[in-house]
Every structure is written in C-alpha cells, then in structure tokens.
Amino acid sequence: MKAEELIELAQEAMRHAYAPYSGFRVGAALLCADGTVYQGSNIENAAYSPTNCAERTAFFQAVYDGHRDFTALAVCGGKNGEITGFCPPCGVCRQVMREFCREDFVVYIAGPKGQYQERTLAQLLPDSFVL
Ligand code: THU
C-alpha cells in the first residue's frame, strides 16, 4: 500500500474523533503485514488523562484482533479537523509502537497540501526500552 493511501485512511479516521475538550481531531491508520488496515481516532475524557490517542486506538484494536506484525502507520491531526501542520505521535504512543514494532517500522506524519514526513520508529524513539 502506498503512503498516500494510508494517509487518506488516517484523514478519514479524523472524522471519528471524540474531542469535545481540545477540539483537536487526530486520525491514524495502521498497516498490518498481511495488508489489513486498522483506523483509530483520539477519544477524550472529561478527566483528561484517560484520553486515548488515535495511534493507540488503532494499535489496541489490531492487537485485540490478534495482529502482531505491523508495517507502517499514518497519522494526522488538527484543530477542528483542519490539517494546518504536522502531528507527530506523542511519547506514550511511540513507546506503545515499540512494544509491537521493530525499529524499522515506518511512520508517515501527514501535513497540509499532501505533504508528509517519513520517519522510522528508531528516529522517533532512539535508545528505546524493550524487554
Ligand atoms: N493526540 C493524539 O491522538 N495523538 C498524539 O500522538 C498526540 C495527541 C490527541 C490527544 C488529545 O485528544 C488531543 O490530541 C490534544 O492533545
């Protein structure tokens, strides 16, 4: 699957965001090794800290369904669903990715006007902790 197709699915996932507190809508699309794609959005909470990020929503659904082998993830976000800049994954999501992905896992960080940044997990989370 091309980066652009995965990014399109991440953009679609933004529409599923539950973000009444920040208004910042995030979408993610996770490509499994077998070609399956899981989408996720951020799901906020009145107590703030229980909020789940879009990336983790996608990962947790995929892992629940038995997937353990992942190829790439696309993520995008913006205030009121408008993509005006890049939305790199937060630190917690990077660590969750590392639980299930090798350091060569690819993350596409989509921005405005079809632009995207391509990063490996090693770049996003150097010297990572794994057991
Ligand atoms: N958010 C994500 O969904 N993914 C990230 O990697 C960064 C932040 C969400 C959490 C919260 O609902 C909103 O963006 C503002 O922080």
Side-chain angles (χ1 to χ4, degrees):
M1 174 177 277
K2 289 209 273 188
E4 287 80 3
E5 293 174 76
L6 200 60
I7 288 167
E8 234 173 80
L9 291 169
Q11 287 166 344
E12 197 276 326
M14 284 174 72
R15 294 203 277 273
H16 298 248
Y18 175 75
Y21 305 105
S22 72
F24 196 87
R25 304 172 79 84
V26 184
L30 174 63
L31 177 63
C32 305
D34 68 358
T36 314
V37 176
Y38 280 81
Q39 290 166 286
S41 69
N42 53 333
I43 300 170
E44 297 188 341
N45 189 278
Y48 289 21
S49 64
T51 291
N52 208 55
C53 290
E55 299 92 316
R56 280 178 286 139
T57 301
F59 263 95
F60 293 156
Q61 290 193 88
V63 170
Y64 178 84
D65 281 349
H67 293 276
R68 296 290 186 273
D69 200 357
F70 303 105
T71 308
L73 176 122
V75 61
C76 55
K79 194 89 182 158
N80 304 316
E82 241 182 86
I83 302 174
T84 56
F86 295 93
C87 176
C90 80
V92 172
C93 289
R94 293 176 195 207
Q95 183 66 30
V96 167
M97 288 175 205
R98 189 64 184 102
E99 183 67 27
F100 299 105
C101 303
R102 292 182 307 271
E103 291 193 296
D104 61 354
F105 179 70
V106 174
V107 179
Y108 301 113
I109 304 164
K113 298 180 204 151
Q115 303 169 83
Y116 66 88
Q117 301 166 337
E118 179 175 339
R119 301 282 185 266
T120 63
L121 185 51
Q123 289 174 311
L124 294 176
L125 192 70
D127 301 326
S128 56
F129 177 76
V130 279
L131 288 179

